[in-house]
Amino acid sequence: MSTIFGIPMQAFLGQLLIGLINGSFYALLSLGLAIIFGLLRVINFAHGAQYMLGAFFAWMLLSHFGIGYWSALIVAPVAVGLVGAVIERTMLRRLYTLDPLYGLLFTFGLALTIEGTFRYLYGASGQPYATPAALAGGTNLGFMFLPIYRGWVIVFSLIVCIGTWLVIEKTKLGSYLRAATENPVLVQSFGINVPFLLTLTYALGAGLAALAGVLAAPIYQVSPLMGSNIIIVVFAVVVVGGMGSIMGAIVTGYLLGVAEGLTKVFYPEASNIVIFVIMAIVLMIRPAGLFGRDA
Amino acid sequence: MTLTLDIEKPKEKSPIVTQTLFLGIGLALLILAPLFFYPVFLMKLLCFALFACAFNLLLGYTGLLSFGHAAFFGGAAYFTAHAVKEWGLPPELGILVGVVGAAALGLIVGYLAIRRQGIYFAMITLALAQMFYFFCLQAEFTKGEDGIQSVPRGHLFGFIDLSQSTNMYYFVLGVFVIGVAIIWRIIHSPFGMILKSIRENETRAVSLGYSVRNYKLAAFVMSAALTGLAGGVKALVFQFATLTDVGWQMSGEVILMTLLGGIGTLIGPLFGAGLVVTLQNYLATSEFPVTIITGLVFMVCVLVFRRGIVGEFYNSRLGRKLGFEHRQ
């Protein structure tokens, strides 16, 4: 059995894989947060709740209507995106002229309400969600055993992240979004419907969170608390990356996921605080974040 | 000449008189309250009210939203409980340990968090508090999921038996009054004026030559220490310290109390804490989760009720007539 730094190769690679998977979720979630913050100047505390909603929608579609994973991968994010659009249009919109802190507080209340409702309806324990048949099983890579679904999560989340980045950097819609981030008043005066862009952005961010939720459903249990457990870590990821760049959010997500996984190999006791420790160090050395522009 | 000026000056009742009157009535009500309410409920209320007032020193008077104050509250509860139970310290010293511990934590968290502003400040404090939560989950002295149980209340100054609930109540009331008095003194001092100027316009405060960072850090540590005072007393009231007090939900709760009562008003948080604690007590026996209500109240407050109860009162006609003023 080969070892690396005195650790069995298998354990090392196994944790690296888990780190990459966690990193996929951190990347997807911090990407959505960064997009929403860029345009709306709102930190979406409900992002964790929307992630949980995505997973729950997938579970409900399967258990109540027999609609499977592949459809859920599209239906759940669209549904959560629509809910997000309604919330933005009816409530969140009123807060844009105020201190951004009110947006944080509002979405915090929203998260509590959603989470409380699901805990009331389904209890705090998790619901299992079966891995789709096409992705069940695993493959032996020679040096380690890779469950196919986990590989799929890493590949698919990479595709989604890069796709979103391309949409924002390379398309006309993306250029409107970027312009509205810089100067919404000017963009509006060019005849572009900025309020609609804002709604679209919030729906897109919420949909991304829900997509991450559907992806997570077969790996973690579908539970009402899954969102609040992850959102605080994602906030730390966002502080480390700085919200100035979309690519920065993605890269930081994967990096910190891997860092967390590796800590599990070398010093397990610190694995659930390592991201916060990295955040503290980054704050001391480079307060604006790794990819951030000074605000 | 001076005579005419005096005559032209509109005759008004001094606001000081009415405010002192209000203060007197309020104190009298608090002193008489144990005759009508269950003392433990009142003590819980006062602890949370002091917690919210201390939090408001930061949010209302310095403009910093901390999302991590549970670390100081729950942390102090652990420190006090440990000091009293394991080291056998008397209650007053036990609480002092809690206060010093919370201030030290506040120094670390504040030092890191003031490097960023606004929304980032909130996220950093939240993340650091969560880190402290994980620390408490794994540390030896906190006893993990069980928490520190059956903490003795002891004898205050060696001769006042705090296991008597009446004695304990007046001790808690005394601590609360002292705490609020300290906060009042801070916000009415030149130091407090500078804090307010940072809240209103940070860039300008910097350009006037104030070292804004140091002022923010000082305010943060003071707020943390006063929060620790509330947390330490709470550990003695309930005779235990658990993970609930360090969780992020607790940080959210104190924000809600402050928002509901009135950000930037001295006694608003008292009303906010009263409402939230009453609500929790009321719903404690039902199956219905408190978080749904808390969340909804949060949303409504942010959307249409940003001044809070006391803020709205100050802004109403009656409030202005009585000489209160409140700016948001």
Side-chain angles (χ1 to χ4, degrees):
Chain A
M1 187 77 217
S2 59
T3 59
I4 182 163
F5 305 123
I7 304 280
M9 193 71 168
Q10 202 126 27
F12 181 81
L13 290 172
Q15 290 302 335
L16 191 68
L17 177 72
I18 290 177
L20 266 179
I21 288 174
N22 286 344
S24 305
F25 293 116
Y26 296 158
L28 277 176
L29 290 173
S30 61
L31 170 67
L33 272 182
I35 293 174
I36 293 176
F37 181 76
L39 202 54
L40 280 70
R41 298 282 137 191
V42 167
I43 280 291
N44 186 27
F45 212 123
H47 218 64
Q50 282 150 351
Y51 162 81
M52 179 270 286
L53 271 183
F56 251 100
F57 278 3
W59 174 78
M60 281 191 249
L61 284 171
L62 186 67
S63 60
H64 297 334
F65 306 104
I67 296 172
Y69 178 81
W70 300 104
S71 313
L73 212 48
I74 297 166
V75 176
V78 169
V80 175
L82 283 176
V83 173
V86 170
I87 289 167
E88 196 277 339
R89 280 218 100 98
T90 52
M91 292 180 272
L92 201 51
R93 170 157 297 185
R94 298 155 193 265
L95 303 175
Y96 294 155
T97 53
L98 303 171
D99 192 307
L101 293 177
Y102 283 112
L104 178 72
L105 294 181
F106 174 80
T107 48
F108 177 69
L110 183 65
L112 284 184
T113 311
I114 297 175
E115 206 180 271
T117 309
F118 275 77
R119 221 162 70 188
Y120 182 53
L121 295 176
Y122 298 98
S125 60
Q127 317 279 350
Y129 187 93
T131 308
L135 299 172
T139 172
N140 200 338
L141 298 180
F143 52 88
M144 68 176 291
F145 181 78
L146 174 75
I148 292 179
Y149 187 77
R150 306 209 161 197
W152 153 256
V153 167
I154 296 172
V155 173
F156 185 67
S157 69
L158 259 179
I159 293 172
V160 172
C161 284
I162 293 171
T164 313
W165 180 74
L166 284 176
V167 167
I168 288 170
E169 293 294 327
K170 305 288 178 209
T171 65
K172 190 136 197 171
L173 178 68
S175 70
Y176 289 165
L177 283 177
R178 277 178 293 133
T181 305
E182 294 290 329
N183 192 335
V185 180
L186 199 61
V187 173
Q188 175 111 39
S189 70
F190 283 142
I192 292 161
N193 190 344
V194 172
F196 177 72
L197 272 187
L198 294 176
T199 310
L200 192 72
T201 306
Y202 191 73
L204 179 72
L208 271 176
L211 185 71
V214 181
L215 276 180
I219 297 184
Y220 311 116
Q221 296 225 310
V222 179
S223 108
L225 301 175
M226 63 193 286
S228 57
N229 290 340
I230 199 170
I231 191 65
I232 301 176
V233 178
V234 173
F235 277 174
V237 171
V238 162
V239 172
V240 171
M243 277 186 292
S245 93
I246 299 289
M247 209 35 146
I250 299 171
V251 173
T252 317
Y254 283 106
L255 277 181
L256 289 186
V258 170
E260 194 184 40
L262 292 185
T263 313
K264 249 182 212 137
V265 183
F266 294 108
Y267 189 53
E269 290 81 12
S271 64
N272 49 15
I273 62 166
V274 65
I275 289 184
F276 302 125
V277 173
I278 293 175
M279 179 191 82
I281 295 170
V282 168
L283 277 172
M284 289 207 276
I285 300 167
R286 213 180 129 77
L290 295 179
F291 301 88
R293 293 172 292 182
D294 257 314
Chain B
M1 210 41 205
T2 41
L3 199 70
T4 40
L5 270 177
D6 273 348
I7 290 166
E8 275 169 7
K9 214 174 169 183
K11 293 275 182 215
E12 255 183 40
K13 249 208 290 186
S14 162
I16 305 291
V17 177
T18 42
Q19 287 179 16
T20 317
L21 198 69
F22 268 86
L23 192 68
I25 296 172
L27 262 181
L29 284 177
L30 285 175
I31 289 170
L32 295 176
L35 298 176
F36 308 102
F37 297 100
Y38 184 52
V40 172
F41 167 76
L42 290 172
M43 289 190 269
K44 181 179 179 191
L45 199 161
L46 286 177
C47 288
F48 277 100
L50 181 58
F51 180 17
C53 287
F55 172 78
N56 193 31
L57 176 64
L58 204 58
L59 176 61
Y61 294 96
T62 322
L64 296 175
L65 173 63
S66 159
F67 232 111
H69 257 49
F72 314 131
F73 187 67
Y78 275 129
F79 301 147
T80 300
H82 185 77
V84 170
K85 194 181 174 191
E86 305 293 334
W87 301 343
L89 290 186
E92 64 276 10
L93 287 183
I95 290 172
L96 186 67
V97 170
V99 171
V100 173
L105 273 178
L107 190 65
I108 300 168
V109 174
Y111 174 76
L112 289 168
I114 54 165
R115 288 164 177 264
R116 302 297 296 272
Q117 284 146 349
I119 218 96
Y120 284 99
F121 181 88
M123 290 196 289
I124 293 165
T125 46
L126 176 64
L128 292 174
Q130 186 73 358
M131 185 167 137
F132 184 69
Y133 172 86
F134 282 123
F135 168 76
C136 289
L137 189 66
Q138 290 172 351
E140 198 72 25
F141 83 100
T142 59
K143 310 276 193 291
E145 301 272 355
D146 296 335
I148 305 178
Q149 300 282 350
S150 54
V151 176
R153 282 183 183 171
H155 288 69
L156 183 64
F157 307 124
F159 67 95
I160 303 172
D161 183 8
L162 290 182
S163 57
Q164 298 271 325
S165 68
T166 324
N167 290 354
M168 189 65 196
Y169 174 74
Y170 288 110
F171 170 58
V172 175
L173 180 59
V175 170
F176 172 75
V177 170
I178 292 169
V180 173
I182 293 173
I183 295 170
W184 185 87
R185 194 66 207 98
I186 293 173
I187 57 185
H188 287 91
S189 68
F191 173 79
M193 295 296 158
I194 297 165
L195 293 187
K196 280 179 227 172
S197 79
I198 294 171
R199 176 191 69 183
E200 294 301 318
N201 193 334
E202 187 171 338
T203 326
R204 195 154 179 197
V206 172
S207 79
L208 285 172
Y210 291 113
S211 135
V212 166
R213 262 196 175 182
N214 292 349
Y215 280 99
K216 278 184 175 177
L217 186 56
F220 198 90
V221 172
M222 285 179 195
S223 174
L226 286 160
T227 301
L229 183 63
V233 173
K234 188 192 173 250
L236 292 184
V237 169
F238 287 96
Q239 301 187 280
F240 58 73
T242 60
L243 284 170
T244 321
D245 292 339
V246 280
W248 58 268
Q249 294 90 342
M250 187 59 77
S251 298
E253 245 168 57
V254 76
I255 297 174
L256 180 65
M257 290 172 186
T258 311
L259 183 66
L260 193 58
I263 296 173
T265 62
L266 185 64
I267 53 156
L270 172 63
F271 289 88
L275 267 179
V276 173
V277 171
T278 312
L279 183 77
Q280 283 171 345
N281 262 32
Y282 185 71
L283 288 177
T285 46
S286 79
E287 293 256 311
F288 199 75
V290 161
T291 47
I292 299 181
I293 311 271
T294 328
L296 287 174
V297 175
F298 238 116
M299 290 160 73
V300 171
C301 274
V302 172
L303 285 174
V304 296
F305 197 64
R306 283 184 292 274
R307 283 198 191 109
I309 300 165
V310 174
E312 288 290 347
F313 171 70
Y314 284 1
N315 250 295
S316 68
R317 264 178 135 177
L318 180 67
R320 279 192 209 150
K321 229 177 188 172
L322 289 172
F324 294 108
E325 52 171 332
H326 174 54
R327 293 190 336 106
Q328 214 178 4

